[in-house]
Amino acid sequence: MDLKIALLSGDGIGPEVMEQAVKALQAIEENFGHNFSYKEAVVGAIAIDKFDDPLPEKTLALCKEADAILFGAIGDPKYDNDPSAKIRPEQGLLRLRKELGLFANIRPIKTFPTLVDNSPLKKEIILGTDFTIYRELTGGIYFGEKKINDNGTVASDLCEYSQKEISRIAHLAFKAAKNRNNKLTLVDKANVLESSRLWRKVVSKIGESYPEVTLDYLFVDNAAMQLILNPSQFDVILTENMFGDILSDEGSVIGGSIGLLASASIGEDNALFEPIHGSYPQAKGGNIANPVASILSAAMLLEHFSLYEEAMVVREAVDKSLEKGIVTPDLHAGSKYGTSHVGDFIADRIVENHDDLNMNDENIGLGKSTII
């Protein structure tokens, strides 16, 4: 298969983790005979510094021409600490989602057996956790009309949804549930919010077309509690933009590190794949950032194009790195392995694609990988 992939590494640790994801994709090319071409572009704080625009037109044009987008991370403390800033890195990502029609964000949440002790939750609570959050991505309060009065003492943000916006992501979530364990949970605040009542009305009607899927409802405050009390009860969670943003970050704690979780943002004609961690500027250039989420995002990219065997090989290589303890310090405080070392190991495992364990781990730890 030939694929054109736009690389938007962004800010902070974005370039470092994306480099490892590209290594994994290059290993897949070598192993399966595919041809992936890559073009880079700037977005976020680095784009503001260069072009005074978090999403330059050249970047947007490249994304529209690409088959898929691999995204790194976005954000910079100099904007986080300046509430008066008119231009912010995050505006670039929000605009990109809107321009490309990326209405569905898909975030798998699962526990890795070798890392259950890393979680702040008890092992007996998190074992067996494996669910996916479907978050609506281009509507709601993040994109609604924003107002502030002249003297800056009163502000408002409009949360608005249409039946069409709800319907298109609901169908994706029901189809995903059919391919999993036939259970879908709608998370809303229908006891208070009119927009949530519309969500419940539309999703309930659509549910009639998927009789094999059990549809449950949770208010968002209860859902946040249940994610901690009993996360293994969930299969597919469907929710609106802001609730999904909060719940998916809460879910990332279950597995013990936000550096493990990938995501896909899907539209009618475009798709973007990114780790859910932030730009982590404190770790920039330190070769300590966890690349697993970025590599698993590349696996989701492969799966999006029905390259299921290739995606499975990437995930098996990740599992092997966790099993053998070739991980970054966020997963093991005494680890001698850095970002690039973990990426090298995973890429090598993809190329080998068998159970031969004779690989010299010490060479991997020193960065002497065969994949460059």
Side-chain angles (χ1 to χ4, degrees), residues 151-193:
N151 59 4
T153 58
V154 179
S156 65
D157 299 277
L158 177 66
C159 181
E160 185 173 66
Y161 271 107
S162 68
Q163 179 176 327
K164 179 181 177 181
E165 288 173 314
I166 299 167
S167 177
R168 62 187 180 181
I169 189 170
H171 280 289
L172 290 181
F174 273 106
K175 289 174 183 176
K178 279 183 63 177
N179 290 324
R180 290 173 53 90
N181 296 311
N182 285 313
K183 182 179 179 181
L184 189 147
T185 303
L186 174 65
V187 173
D188 59 29
K189 193 66 176 169
N191 56 335
V192 176
L193 302 178

Side-chain angles (χ1 to χ4, degrees), residues 101-258:
L102 305 177
F103 64 87
N105 183 248
I106 306 166
R107 297 191 179 188
I109 308 286
K110 66 176 293 184
T111 53
F112 293 88
T114 56
L115 297 177
V116 290
D117 291 333
N118 288 54
S119 176
L121 302 179
K122 294 179 180 179
K123 181 186 299 187
E124 56 267 28
I125 291 177
I126 66 170
L127 278 175
T129 296
D130 183 356
F131 63 89
T132 300
I133 297 177
Y134 274 70
R135 166 192 171 193
E136 201 289 324
L137 203 58
T138 57
I141 200 167
Y142 291 173
F143 290 92
E145 182 183 3
K146 304 178 188 315
K147 294 181 180 179
I148 188 165
N149 68 350
D150 292 340
N151 59 4
T153 58
V154 179
S156 65
D157 299 277
L158 177 66
C159 181
E160 185 173 66
Y161 271 107
S162 68
Q163 179 176 327
K164 179 181 177 181
E165 288 173 314
I166 299 167
S167 177
R168 62 187 180 181
I169 189 170
H171 280 289
L172 290 181
F174 273 106
K175 289 174 183 176
K178 279 183 63 177
N179 290 324
R180 290 173 53 90
N181 296 311
N182 285 313
K183 182 179 179 181
L184 189 147
T185 303
L186 174 65
V187 173
D188 59 29
K189 193 66 176 169
N191 56 335
V192 176
L193 302 178
E194 199 63 49
S195 58
S196 283
R197 286 191 273 272
L198 179 62
W199 268 86
R200 191 167 289 209
K201 175 183 176 182
V202 173
V203 173
S204 297
K205 183 64 176 176
I206 292 173
E208 296 174 5
S209 301
Y210 300 89
E212 62 274 74
V213 176
T214 300
L215 175 60
D216 293 330
Y217 309 92
L218 282 179
F219 295 144
V220 64
D221 42 355
N222 188 21
M225 181 174 65
Q226 293 298 323
L227 280 179
I228 300 303
L229 292 176
N230 183 19
S232 63
Q233 70 181 283
F234 295 107
D235 183 28
V236 174
I237 292 175
L238 170 63
T239 191
E240 60 100 72
N241 204 340
M242 184 170 69
F243 296 162
D245 191 3
I246 296 168
L247 292 178
S248 57
D249 277 5
E250 182 189 8
S252 72
V253 175
I254 295 170
S257 173
I258 199 170

Side-chain angles (χ1 to χ4, degrees), residues 1-18:
M1 177 178 286
D2 294 339
L3 290 177
K4 295 184 292 184
I5 302 173
L7 303 179
L8 276 60
S9 58
D11 307 318
I13 62 170
E16 297 166 66
V17 297
M18 179 174 287

